[in-house]
Amino acid sequence: MTDKLDSIYSAIESWLKKVGKYFSGSRLLLLPVACKDELVPLCKTSSSVNTNGLAIQSAIPLVYKPVRPDQLKEKSWQRICSHFKIRLIQPVLMDGVPLAYLCLVNSNNQVSDPEAERLRQLSAPLVPMLLAANELSGGQTYSEKLHRMLSELSRLHEMSRTIESRANLDSLLEYIMQRCMELINAEAASLMLVDEKAQELEFKIVLGPKAQEVKPFRLPIGKGITGWVAKTGQPLLIPDAYKDDRFDSSFDKRSGFVTRSILCVPMVHESKTIGVMNVLNPLEGKSFTEDDQMLLLIYASQAALSIENVRLLQAVLEKERMDKELQTAAEIQQMLLPAELPKLHGLDVSACYIPCREVSGDFYDIIKLDENSVACVVADVAGKGVPSAMLVATMQASLQAYLESSSDVLEIVTRLNRNLIQRTAKDRFITFFMMILDLRSGRFTYINAGHNPPLLLKQNETIEELRSGGLFLGYIETDFEIGTGILRRGELLVLYTDGLVEAMNKRDQDFGERRLIDEIKKSSGKNAPEIEKSIIAKVHDHIGSRPLDDDFTLVVIKKK
C-alpha cells in the first residue's frame, strides 16, 4: 500500500513539474488540507522550494477560493504563507470541498490574473489522483470520515449563509452538533460558547441519551476539562475519563450515564477561542483516536467561522432594526413638536430641538389658551427610541385633552401623572415642567416635576430657579407644590432639557448650568431667537468635535 501511495504522489509531482514551466520565475507546491502536528508539503516542483515542516498548533481554516497572502486574516495561514513563501493559494476542489491546496511560491512579481486562472485550471486534474491517495492513506475508514467531514463543512458553510433571523442561530448550533456526532460516531456531544465579558462558558447545546437531564449552566473559563480547553486553546483527548483528575463524575452518578472517553476541542476563529466542543464515548472502539481529534479540530474551526458569520449578520440586522426604529421615533417626535409657535401679545418666544445620534424623549410646546393666557411645557422622557416617542405622544394627547377643560396647573399635572402611572412601564418616567402665564400681568403659576429648573433672569441681573413642584411623572401618586412668579418687561425665562447642560467636551467636562447662566446674562440684550442661537453656539464651542450624547431642547421667552 505504501508503494502505491508513493507512486501516486510521484505521479502528481511529475505532472506538477511538467506544468510548472507555464509560470515564469515561480514554483508549485501542494499542501494537505489537514495535518496533526506538522505541516509538510505533499509535492514540490523544485529543490529550491522550502520543504521543512511547519509546526501547527491548531486546525488550519479551510480555504474555498483562490486567495493571496494579503487577503488572509487567519494568523495560521499567514505563518504558512511566510514559511513557504506562498504568493497564491488555489484550493483543489471536488463538489466545492477542498482536497488540497495548489500553491504558487517564490514569485518575485505580483501574480497576474492569467497566472491565477492558469493555476485554477491546472488544479482540476489533481482531483482523481488526490482521491486515490486519500483512499490509501490511513486506512479507508479515516478517508471516508475525512471526505464526509469535508462534505458536512460544505453544507455547514451554505447553511450559515442562509441564516436570516436570530432564532436560527440556535438551529445552526444544533445542526453543527448533530453533524459532529455523526462525523465522530459518538454517543453524546455538547457545545459551549465563550462569554468574554463574564469570562465564562455558556451552555448552548447537548445531544445524547441523557440530554434532557442536563440543565443550562455556566462554567468559569479554566475550570474543569472544558474550561481548561477554553483557557489554553488546546484540544484534549482523554482515553479513560475516570483516570483523569479533571473529570467531574457527578452527572454520571446522578443520571446513570457512563462516560468512558472524552474528546474536547476549542472552536477557534481568527486566533480567538469562541467556544468548546465535547464529544463522549465513541460507538466504535473504547477510546477516541488522534485521527478523530484532527477531524474534530478542523470541523470545529469551520463551525466557529459559520457561527461568527451568523453573529455578524445578526449584528447587521440588529443595527438595521435599530436604525429603522430610531427613524420611526424621529418621525413621531417631529410630528409632536409644534410646526410653528403662536404669536403672543407682549412676548418674544423662540424654541428649538437639537437631535443627536439617538432619538430621546424631548418635548416642548407653547399652547395659546386664549387671548390673555398661554401654557408653556417642556418635558423629557427617560429612555430612547420608539417607546419613549410613544410615551411622549400619550402625554401630549392627554395634556391637550385636559387643557380643553381646565387651566388649573395643579389639576392638570395631577391628572396627567395619574394617567401616566397607569400607562407607563416601571422603568420609564417623565421629567416635566408646565407654566401658565397671564400675558397682561406677566404673572404665572407653574409646577416642576423633577425637571431641570428653568432660569428666570430678572431686571436686577439675578437668576431665579423655578424649582417648586415634586417628583417626576408616571412613577407614583404624589402631591405637587404650585410655584408662582412674575415675568416683567425685559426679563428673560429659559427652559431646557438635561442634554444641554450635560453636553460633554473631549475632556469629559459638561457644559453645566454655570456656563448657561453666563451666556444668558451675556446675550440678554438680544431678542429671543438671537439668544437661542447664542446659547446653542456656546454649547457647540464647548463640545468641539465631540458629538452630542443626548438630544436637547431650548425654549427662550422674553417679555417685551
Side-chain angles (χ1 to χ4, degrees):
M1 184 177 293
T2 303
D3 291 341
K4 288 182 180 180
L5 188 61
D6 289 342
S7 66
I8 290 174
Y9 282 123
S10 179
I12 293 174
E13 192 164 296
S14 297
W15 185 79
L16 290 179
K17 286 180 180 179
K18 185 176 180 179
V19 299
K21 62 184 180 181
Y22 296 116
F23 300 93
S24 178
S26 301
R27 301 291 183 269
L28 297 176
L29 185 71
L30 190 66
L31 292 177
V33 168
C35 65
K36 293 181 180 179
D37 301 310
E38 186 179 34
L39 182 64
V40 178
L42 297 172
C43 302
K44 62 184 178 104
T45 61
S46 171
S47 59
S48 64
V49 175
N50 181 13
T51 56
N52 293 327
L54 176 65
I56 297 297
Q57 297 177 342
S58 60
I60 305 170
L62 294 182
V63 173
Y64 293 89
K65 61 183 180 180
V67 289
R68 294 176 171 83
D70 58 359
Q71 297 172 315
L72 292 163
K73 294 181 180 179
E74 296 85 358
K75 290 184 179 180
S76 57
W77 266 116
Q78 292 171 358
R79 287 182 62 234
I80 291 168
C81 290
S82 175
H83 181 79
F84 294 109
K85 297 182 171 55
I86 294 173
R87 297 293 177 266
L88 180 65
I89 302 167
Q90 170 63 55
V92 181
L93 301 171
M94 189 191 77
D95 298 331
V97 177
L99 301 176
Y101 301 115
L102 183 57
C103 305
L104 204 58
V105 301
N106 291 339
S107 174
N108 295 322
N109 302 317
Q110 195 78 320
V111 178
S112 65
D113 289 340
E115 284 182 313
E117 175 59 22
R118 192 175 297 124
L119 193 68
R120 186 193 67 78
Q121 293 172 356
L122 293 176
S123 68
L126 291 172
V127 172
M129 291 186 279
L130 287 170
L131 287 177
N134 279 343
E135 290 298 323
L136 294 171
S137 63
Q140 186 152 346
T141 302
Y142 174 72
S143 178
E144 289 174 352
K145 279 189 176 183
L146 176 62
H147 187 68
R148 188 167 75 247
M149 185 268 296
L150 293 174
S151 298
E152 293 294 354
L153 288 178
S154 181
R155 277 192 279 172
L156 181 64
H157 186 63
E158 287 300 316
M159 184 180 180
S160 69
R161 293 192 303 185
T162 63
I163 298 297
E164 294 179 353
S165 69
R166 180 183 301 273
N168 280 334
L169 177 59
D170 290 337
S171 299
L172 176 65
L173 296 178
E174 185 165 351
Y175 175 90
I176 286 170
M177 296 314 293
Q178 286 173 345
R179 299 289 79 79
C180 171
M181 284 181 66
E182 293 173 10
L183 171 67
I184 304 299
N185 206 14
E187 183 181 6
S190 65
L191 182 149
M192 301 187 77
L193 294 181
V194 172
D195 181 339
E196 289 190 33
K197 289 184 178 179
Q199 281 296 289
E200 292 178 330
L201 286 162
E202 181 183 6
F203 170 89
K204 286 294 182 182
I205 298 292
V206 61
L207 301 175
K210 299 291 183 178
Q212 71 279 1
E213 298 185 30
V214 180
K215 297 180 180 179
F217 64 94
R218 283 176 169 262
L219 181 72
I221 290 177
K223 183 178 180 180
I225 292 171
T226 307
W228 183 89
V229 170
K231 182 178 180 179
T232 63
Q234 298 298 313
L236 194 59
L237 196 166
I238 301 176
D240 189 338
Y242 279 85
K243 290 183 179 179
D244 194 295
D245 293 338
R246 291 165 294 191
F247 174 62
D248 182 358
S249 62
S250 59
F251 177 76
D252 281 15
K253 293 175 181 177
R254 189 170 63 251
S255 66
F257 184 81
V258 179
T259 303
R260 301 191 312 277
S261 180
I262 301 172
L263 178 55
C264 187
V265 302
M267 303 174 70
V268 180
H269 177 68
E270 294 186 358
S271 303
K272 182 175 71 175
T273 299
I274 70 160
V276 177
M277 280 184 180
N278 276 296
V279 290
L280 307 178
N281 301 350
L283 296 178
E284 298 174 358
K286 293 183 179 180
S287 171
F288 293 111
T289 66
E290 290 188 3
D291 287 343
D292 292 326
Q293 178 175 298
M294 190 187 77
L295 288 171
L296 193 56
L297 274 170
I298 299 171
Y299 186 79
S301 174
Q302 297 306 301
L305 175 62
S306 296
I307 291 169
E308 287 302 294
N309 285 343
V310 171
R311 283 174 166 173
L312 181 62
L313 178 58
Q314 287 180 342
V316 171
L317 293 174
E318 179 65 13
K319 185 179 184 304
E320 288 177 355
R321 186 191 68 79
M322 287 296 298
D323 288 346
K324 187 174 181 179
E325 180 179 309
L326 290 175
Q327 181 181 353
T328 302
E331 291 169 357
I332 294 172
Q333 189 169 33
Q334 202 59 45
M335 288 188 294
L336 297 175
L337 298 175
E340 60 179 2
L341 300 178
K343 296 186 183 301
L344 301 168
H345 179 70
L347 281 188
D348 184 16
V349 181
S350 185
C352 68
Y353 163 71
I354 306 295
C356 71
R357 292 165 298 177
E358 296 184 342
V359 179
S360 68
D362 278 22
F363 172 79
Y364 74 88
D365 206 354
I366 307 294
I367 306 164
K368 187 174 182 180
L369 303 178
D370 54 42
E371 290 302 315
N372 298 316
S373 61
V374 62
C376 304
V377 176
V378 175
D380 188 3
V381 177
K384 300 181 184 296
V386 171
S388 294
M390 295 305 296
L391 187 53
V392 170
T394 299
M395 180 197 69
Q396 188 207 39
S398 300
L399 179 63
Q400 293 281 3
Y402 300 153
L403 284 169
E404 290 290 330
S405 58
S406 175
S407 59
D408 184 325
V409 67
L410 179 59
E411 178 187 346
I412 292 170
V413 173
T414 301
R415 291 179 66 188
L416 192 59
N417 182 47
R418 192 174 297 128
N419 182 40
L420 290 172
I421 289 172
Q422 297 172 354
R423 297 172 180 268
T424 306
K426 290 184 178 180
D427 61 340
R428 295 192 181 274
F429 56 86
I430 302 176
T431 67
F432 182 86
F433 176 87
M434 180 178 181
M435 173 183 77
I436 294 181
L437 173 68
D438 187 309
L439 296 173
R440 293 167 300 182
S441 66
R443 294 183 180 278
F444 61 85
T445 57
Y446 74 89
I447 287 179
N448 185 337
H451 196 76
N452 298 83
L455 303 172
L456 174 60
L457 178 63
K458 310 191 82 167
Q459 290 177 341
N460 61 3
E461 290 292 306
T462 60
I463 290 285
E464 180 182 340
E465 294 184 343
L466 306 186
R467 292 184 172 275
S468 298
L471 290 174
F472 38 76
L473 305 185
Y475 188 63
I476 59 172
E477 291 269 4
T478 185
D479 294 327
F480 295 99
E481 177 189 355
I482 298 177
T484 60
I486 301 177
L487 183 64
R488 295 180 173 85
R489 181 172 296 178
E491 291 186 341
L492 180 65
L493 180 62
V494 176
L495 302 86
Y496 60 94
T497 55
D498 58 5
L500 190 151
V501 290
E502 292 175 2
M504 294 278 191
N505 61 19
K506 289 184 176 180
R507 296 188 298 276
D508 289 335
Q509 298 170 328
D510 60 28
F511 183 71
E513 189 179 275
R514 184 68 262 164
R515 289 186 178 88
L516 176 59
I517 290 173
D518 289 344
E519 189 57 33
I520 290 172
K521 290 181 176 180
K522 182 180 177 182
S523 59
S524 61
K526 302 176 182 178
N527 61 32
E530 290 173 339
I531 294 170
E532 174 198 300
K533 289 179 182 178
S534 296
I535 293 172
I536 293 172
K538 200 70 176 178
V539 171
H540 284 294
D541 286 345
H542 173 73
I543 65 175
S545 59
R546 176 169 174 168
L548 288 168
D549 295 317
D550 193 8
D551 302 3
F552 72 78
T553 294
L554 177 63
V555 178
V556 178
I557 302 172
K558 188 172 185 180
K559 189 80 161 74
K560 295 179 180 178

